Amino acid sequence: MSLLFSPITIRSMTLPNRIVVPAMVTRLSGEDGFVNDDITNRYVRFAKGGAGLVVLEAMAVHSSKSGPLLRISGDEYIPGLRDLRRRMADAGPGKAAPQIIHFLKISRSGWRQKIEDLSQDDIHAIRDSYAAAATRCIAAGYDAVELHMAHAYTLSSFLSRLNKRRDGYGGSLENRLRLPVEVVSAVRAAVGDFPVGVRFDGEECIKGGYTVEEAKVIAWRLAQAGVDYVSISAGGKFEDAIPRQGEPLYPYTGYSGDRCMPGKTWPNGANRYLPAGIKTFLRQRGLATPVVATGKINTPELAEEVLSCGDADMIGMARPLLADPDWPRKVQAGRFDKVIRCCYANICKARDERFQTVACFLWPRGEIQAPESDDGVPPAWDGQLAVTADQGRVSLKWSPATDNEAVYGYDIWRAIEDSDFDRIDAIPAPVTAYHDMTAVSGIKYRYFVQAYDLAGNRSKASIVVQAVLK
Ligand SMILES: Cc1cc2nc3c(=O)[nH]c(=O)nc-3n(C[C@H](O)[C@H](O)[C@H](O)COP(=O)(O)O)c2cc1C
């Protein structure tokens, strides 16, 4: 029986399955922060794809200037958000929760405001703006609200071991938790029985930052304060971000950024030990708070395994569902073979950094939404594949496939010696070549390639070729 497609109830909200689209900034809004058609199309697509919970991208609880970002800092934003929720409900049965965020000021000069600069009044205003924004989520018809306490933003900086405040809001863990707990209490008082989740880092992934050991206690304290689920992220901090001349510091450029959005070189399920440690700790203390795991969880087998071994209660899939919002629907129908699979090129992240519309590397060039097709005809292809192994790399070349709609891309599969084939990468059409830079001499590699179309129909596999680097 599939655990992934079993329902889960979080306070008053029952999710039809355990697949979560975690918050992903789209850069589709203007700087005014209002919902527009492009935003609506992005989230309707996720809803239609069948995820149990769609967390809408971080939206600001305050009116501080920023690049393109959604806002929920005043009642004027409610009608647009309400209309978006209605459109999502028409598209699919999943639930929807805005992620609400407070961030500090940052400038191109390299200056950034720190939590140490905040007065007591500023701190109270942050608490009150979270509570007000949460009530707007109810007014706009959402099923829950998620409080952003992860990465480089204000509440995460309070939780951080690098919090340098000298008053009751800094220093000890009790003091670092003070504002996050005050925010949860204020939100709970404002929203009553409405589901409230928190996203926070299971590990800061910076020198001197907290690890899962303190994250366990943070989760415990937040759950005691009235949080209904915890969604575990990692890293994404300013402290190790790489400065670029004339650009505002982007908190995902350093090692902690890699840990937040692990790229190609990271193992699948790279961060699962974080929700696992936190969940075990909560259960040992009699707390049933559901835990969301995220970070390179991309196949139904891995997702089921994370759930069945008890590492988490829900699975967040950000980039995999950006690549193919229909992942849940296709997998539930037993058609993982039709999923367009993320290759972790992190172009989405690079675009976010430049305030450009967040799009997937695999989408047809220039598109701002994932393509959609119900076509059932797979690409036609002669399946010929040429291989060369020199200059320290293995190169594959093939002739283009054809399709009644459009050839969308090619999956690259590799087996090392006599192991099973793994899909190691994807290449968007019209490119018809691939270089494997990770092969080493003395080992036999086998490869095949498969074309796919917009609906994810796969062509027959190419011939299998073999290479040994000299
Ligand atoms: C383009 C982009 C934007 C993101 N924006 C947010 C955000 O607004 N809030 C948040 O908590 N995480 C954000 N994340 C992090 C993701 O929610 C997720 O934790 C991360 O991508 C790892 O999960 P994955 O391997 O399934 O992609 C973003 C990630 C990407 C790639």
Side-chain angles (χ1 to χ4, degrees):
M1 203 201 82
S2 166
L3 274 174
L4 191 59
F5 289 97
S6 63
I8 180 167
T9 298
I10 302 172
R11 202 177 271 262
S12 55
M13 164 174 80
T14 298
L15 310 181
N17 60 57
R18 287 151 187 257
I19 302 170
V20 178
V21 182
M24 237 183 312
V25 158
T26 61
R27 303 290 182 204
L28 284 166
S29 72
E31 299 213 7
D32 62 7
F34 285 97
V35 172
N36 59 27
D37 287 348
D38 292 337
I39 299 260
T40 303
N41 292 339
R42 174 74 54 100
Y43 287 102
V44 165
R45 195 76 174 71
F46 284 135
K48 203 170 160 188
L53 176 65
V54 177
V55 181
L56 280 78
E57 64 196 90
M59 49 189 87
V61 298
H62 57 320
S63 55
S64 198
K65 202 171 139 32
S66 79
L69 194 79
L70 280 183
R71 292 187 184 279
I72 189 162
S73 47
D75 290 350
E76 65 276 25
Y77 297 102
I78 293 174
L81 288 165
R82 186 187 294 131
D83 190 51
L84 170 58
R85 180 64 191 107
R86 273 204 208 107
R87 295 277 310 278
M88 291 174 74
D90 291 344
K95 304 296 179 189
Q99 183 184 63
I100 60 173
I101 186 173
H102 187 279
F103 49 86
L104 297 177
K105 292 178 188 144
I106 181 162
S107 93
R108 289 182 185 275
S109 68
W111 172 86
R112 69 183 171 89
Q113 191 184 18
K114 307 244 171 69
I115 57 163
E116 297 86 76
D117 306 331
L118 298 173
S119 67
Q120 295 275 339
D121 284 351
D122 294 332
I123 287 176
H124 295 154
I126 291 168
R127 179 198 62 202
D128 296 346
S129 53
Y130 267 98
T135 62
R136 290 184 194 110
C137 296
I138 302 179
Y142 286 85
D143 308 286
V145 59
E146 184 175 287
L147 315 178
H148 199 341
M149 300 196 185
H151 310 160
Y153 310 108
T154 311
L155 294 181
S156 180
S157 302
F158 274 90
L159 286 176
S160 174
R161 277 196 83 232
L162 303 188
N163 169 345
K164 295 194 181 66
R165 287 189 69 96
R166 290 169 165 270
D167 59 1
Y169 290 96
S172 65
L173 182 55
E174 171 69 8
N175 285 355
R176 284 154 46 205
L177 267 160
R178 191 171 313 281
L179 178 59
V181 167
E182 283 180 4
V183 168
V184 171
S185 305
V187 167
R188 177 57 69 212
V191 301
D193 199 28
F194 190 63
V196 178
V198 164
R199 191 158 216 229
F200 76 100
D201 281 350
E203 181 176 334
E204 293 192 86
C205 307
I206 45 173
K207 186 164 167 44
Y210 71 73
T211 70
V212 69
E213 293 309 314
E214 282 191 1
K216 292 172 183 174
V217 181
I218 292 170
W220 186 18
R221 189 70 192 87
L222 293 174
Q224 281 178 339
V227 161
D228 297 311
Y229 75 86
V230 288
S231 173
I232 308 304
S233 189
K237 308 297 285 186
F238 278 127
E239 282 79 0
D240 68 343
I242 299 167
R244 296 207 176 108
Q245 192 71 34
E247 302 283 331
L249 198 58
Y250 180 71
Y252 306 96
T253 40
Y255 168 78
S256 72
D258 287 354
R259 292 292 310 276
C260 181
M261 301 165 196
K264 272 189 208 302
T265 57
W266 288 87
N268 290 332
N271 291 333
R272 63 185 281 191
Y273 68 98
L274 300 173
I278 289 166
K279 189 179 156 201
T280 304
F281 187 86
L282 291 178
R283 297 301 176 271
Q284 284 167 348
R285 279 146 194 86
L287 285 159
T289 316
V291 178
V292 185
T294 306
K296 281 198 89 168
I297 303 175
N298 43 22
T299 63
E301 292 77 20
L302 179 56
E304 292 286 355
E305 203 251 318
V306 170
L307 294 175
S308 63
C309 78
D311 283 1
D313 303 284
M314 292 179 276
I315 304 294
M317 281 186 251
R319 291 163 298 171
L321 268 69
L322 183 70
D324 191 344
D326 294 324
W327 195 109
R329 190 168 61 78
K330 289 176 179 175
V331 169
Q332 190 162 25
R335 297 309 304 264
F336 181 57
D337 62 311
K338 281 198 160 204
V339 167
I340 311 299
R341 294 175 62 182
C342 174
C343 64
Y344 298 101
N346 263 343
I347 297 299
C348 49
K349 169 181 161 181
R351 294 184 64 88
D352 175 41
E353 177 178 359
R354 294 188 191 101
F355 292 155
Q356 294 167 344
T357 297
V358 170
C360 175
F361 169 65
L362 299 175
W363 295 353
R365 194 162 292 171
E367 293 292 331
I368 60 163
Q369 307 290 355
E372 211 173 348
S373 166
D374 282 332
D375 173 50
V377 184
W381 193 29
D382 65 11
Q384 290 308 305
L385 182 63
V387 63
T388 52
D390 54 21
Q391 295 173 17
R393 65 185 194 185
V394 175
S395 298
L396 305 174
K397 240 175 160 351
W398 57 91
S399 53
T402 57
D403 187 69
N404 60 323
E405 284 190 329
V407 176
Y408 185 15
Y410 299 88
D411 282 322
I412 316 293
W413 292 77
R414 181 178 80 176
I416 300 178
E417 295 287 348
D418 295 322
S419 67
D420 291 340
F421 277 92
D422 267 337
R423 177 220 171 249
I424 57 164
D425 220 329
I427 290 290
V431 180
T432 54
Y434 180 76
H435 303 293
D436 182 359
M437 309 293 281
T438 63
V440 294
S441 59
I443 294 175
K444 181 181 81 187
Y445 295 90
R446 291 174 298 141
Y447 300 84
F448 74 84
V449 174
Q450 218 172 3
Y452 55 84
D453 66 12
L454 298 172
N457 299 301
R458 261 56 182 193
S459 70
K460 67 173 191 187
S462 72
I463 59 167
V464 174
V465 294
Q466 185 175 312
V468 181
L469 273 173
K470 289 178 204 80

